[in-house]
Amino acid sequence: QVQLVESGGGLVQAGGSLRLSCAASGRTFRGYTMGWFRQAAGEEREFVAAISGSGSSTYYGNSVKGRFTVSGDSAKNTVYLQMNRVKPEDTAVYYCAASSIRTLTTTQYIYWGQGTQVTVSS
């Protein structure tokens, strides 16, 4: 079992930055692919970014590529999502998730956090 708790969400102006954190407990996140997803009101959940269990590979959705960076700190058992040059369309609830396989598919993530709201004002 892995418990995930996101933090760091809030209100930010367009063009600004925000860093989300996902603290894992129960097991080290290094045994999992850790993903970030987001869901805007009335929309389907969307893949944002992921980092492999080893930390050697990262993946990004097209809409955030070049602006967001995913990273992990094994000493803190925490995964981060650095969000730069945010846009109003980045407004959503952001979720951290863990999968036992290397995947970008939402349904293949088995552990989920409760989500943190990010609102970008124009």
Side-chain angles (χ1 to χ4, degrees):
Q1 280 278 353
V2 177
Q3 293 80 42
L4 303 173
V5 178
E6 302 96 335
S7 60
L11 177 64
V12 60
Q13 285 192 326
S17 297
L18 204 61
R19 189 178 78 160
L20 305 184
S21 300
C22 172
S25 61
R27 299 186 68 174
T28 175
F29 75 85
R30 285 303 186 194
Y32 298 87
T33 296
M34 300 297 296
W36 285 97
F37 296 81
R38 67 186 183 187
Q39 189 165 18
E43 303 286 334
E44 301 226 338
R45 195 164 293 190
E46 173 191 22
F47 168 74
V48 175
I51 184 168
S52 63
S54 66
S56 61
S57 299
T58 56
Y59 310 89
Y60 297 94
N62 288 334
S63 60
V64 307
K65 202 171 293 183
R67 299 188 298 122
F68 291 9
T69 302
V70 60
S71 63
D73 184 337
S74 56
K76 297 182 178 179
N77 215 24
T78 298
V79 176
Y80 303 97
L81 183 69
Q82 179 68 43
M83 306 168 61
N84 296 330
R85 302 195 308 278
V86 296
K87 305 175 182 179
E89 50 263 45
D90 293 323
T91 295
V93 177
Y94 282 72
Y95 298 90
C96 173
S99 173
S100 58
I101 62 174
R102 190 174 296 196
T103 180
L104 309 183
T105 303
T106 308
T107 55
Q108 292 179 319
Y109 281 77
I110 53 177
Y111 301 110
W112 290 84
Q114 83 289 349
T116 185
Q117 175 71 46
V118 172
T119 303
V120 182
S121 63
S122 57

